[in-house]
Amino acid sequence: DTGVSQDPRHKITKRGQNVTFRCDPISEHNRLYWYRQTLGQGPEFLTYFQNEAQLEKSRLLSDRFSAERPKGSFSTLEIQRTEQGDSAMYLCASSSGTSGGDTQYFGPGTRLTVL
Amino acid sequence: QQQVKQSPQSLIVQKGGISIINCAYENTAFDYFPWYQQFPGKGPALLIAIRPDVSEKKEGRFTISFNKSAKQFSLHIMDSQPGDSATYFCAAPKRNAGNNRKLIWGLGTSLAVNP
């Protein structure tokens, strides 16, 4: 299966700790997105990469959040000094970016619980 | 400011019935309208999508109806089955700098199909 994969699937951490999530997009997809989803809500956009360039960051993304996509393939999302309000499902999606490539394919998500 | 308004919030349908979920959008620049299906603990999965140059698209038991003048689109699930019980999201991509096509999501409809 060559779908979007995310690791870990679940993460429980204590407030104040740092966490890092990884996303592997569909191969050859040059666009990669991070979203956050809380219970009962739709996903909210966090940030967007085209190849290795981070082209947009949501105002939801505080200074404690940082994302990278160093080689234009996999991406990492790091949250520093986690807070209980960071508890959510973090979703990664990728798309091809070619003509008609609007479809974003999502990974299974990483569920973060901050105690 | 909700750019994509989805209704109803929840829906209960008997097996074999028709499930109808509606979305209205405000931005006439939206040019692609996907519906995503999400099961608990999973990432959203693309169900069906439509572009505004057609008024209807059907894939199996799933149909999107699109009304450009009213800025509305709806999902119809024919012969609804218990396995269709999930949360359904409508979405639309908003084009930003760098050709970012971040998805703007409705709030979701929780569908329960009774056996």
Side-chain angles (χ1 to χ4, degrees):
Chain A
D1 183 275
T2 57
V4 179
S5 61
Q6 292 187 245
D7 183 70
R9 294 292 307 278
H10 304 274
K11 179 69 177 179
I12 300 174
T13 190
K14 293 182 180 179
R15 187 175 51 188
Q17 298 295 305
N18 299 343
V19 294
T20 300
F21 310 142
R22 176 179 170 126
C23 170
D24 287 87
I26 293 172
S27 59
E28 298 177 358
H29 275 190
N30 64 353
R31 295 181 183 176
L32 187 145
Y33 299 80
W34 285 98
Y35 292 85
R36 181 172 66 187
Q37 186 178 26
T38 54
L39 204 60
Q41 301 292 318
E44 294 175 296
F45 170 79
L46 292 179
T47 190
Y48 159 68
F49 289 86
Q50 183 159 313
N51 299 310
E52 66 276 8
Q54 187 176 21
L55 297 184
E56 185 175 351
K57 290 174 61 174
S58 166
R59 280 173 287 183
L60 292 174
L61 223 60
S62 74
D63 292 344
R64 298 184 297 106
F65 288 71
S66 62
E68 294 182 342
R69 195 183 183 197
K71 297 181 180 179
S73 56
F74 73 91
S75 175
T76 57
L77 177 68
E78 180 182 17
I79 308 175
Q80 296 182 328
R81 305 181 303 281
T82 53
E83 301 173 355
Q84 287 184 326
D86 297 333
S87 296
M89 174 81 90
Y90 289 84
L91 294 164
C92 176
S94 69
S95 67
S96 67
T98 57
S99 175
D102 286 314
T103 299
Q104 294 183 24
Y105 296 91
F106 283 79
T110 294
R111 179 163 296 284
L112 172 66
T113 301
V114 181
L115 302 176
Chain B
Q1 176 181 354
Q2 193 68 29
Q3 297 186 47
V4 179
K5 297 180 180 179
Q6 183 173 347
S7 62
Q9 185 177 355
S10 63
L11 182 61
I12 300 174
V13 174
Q14 292 299 118
K15 179 182 176 182
I18 302 174
S19 304
I20 301 175
I21 304 171
N22 301 299
C23 273
Y25 62 96
E26 299 172 356
N27 191 334
T28 55
F30 291 158
D31 60 0
Y32 173 72
F33 301 92
W35 283 93
Y36 282 83
Q37 178 189 56
Q38 187 175 29
F39 292 103
K42 306 290 186 183
L46 179 70
L47 191 62
I48 187 171
I50 196 169
R51 295 194 181 277
D53 53 345
V54 297
S55 60
E56 186 175 284
K57 183 174 181 180
K58 183 176 181 179
E59 291 184 359
R61 296 184 295 110
F62 303 94
T63 300
I64 295 181
S65 296
F66 183 77
N67 186 329
K68 189 174 182 178
S69 60
K71 293 189 287 185
Q72 295 176 345
F73 58 108
S74 61
L75 175 68
H76 296 234
I77 305 175
M78 313 299 287
D79 187 26
S80 299
Q81 298 296 312
D84 297 330
S85 298
T87 301
Y88 292 82
F89 292 96
C90 61
K94 183 176 181 181
R95 188 185 299 276
N96 281 0
N99 214 26
N100 177 6
R101 299 276 279 174
K102 67 181 181 182
L103 287 171
I104 308 299
W105 297 74
L107 293 181
T109 296
S110 177
L111 171 65
V113 180
N114 290 334

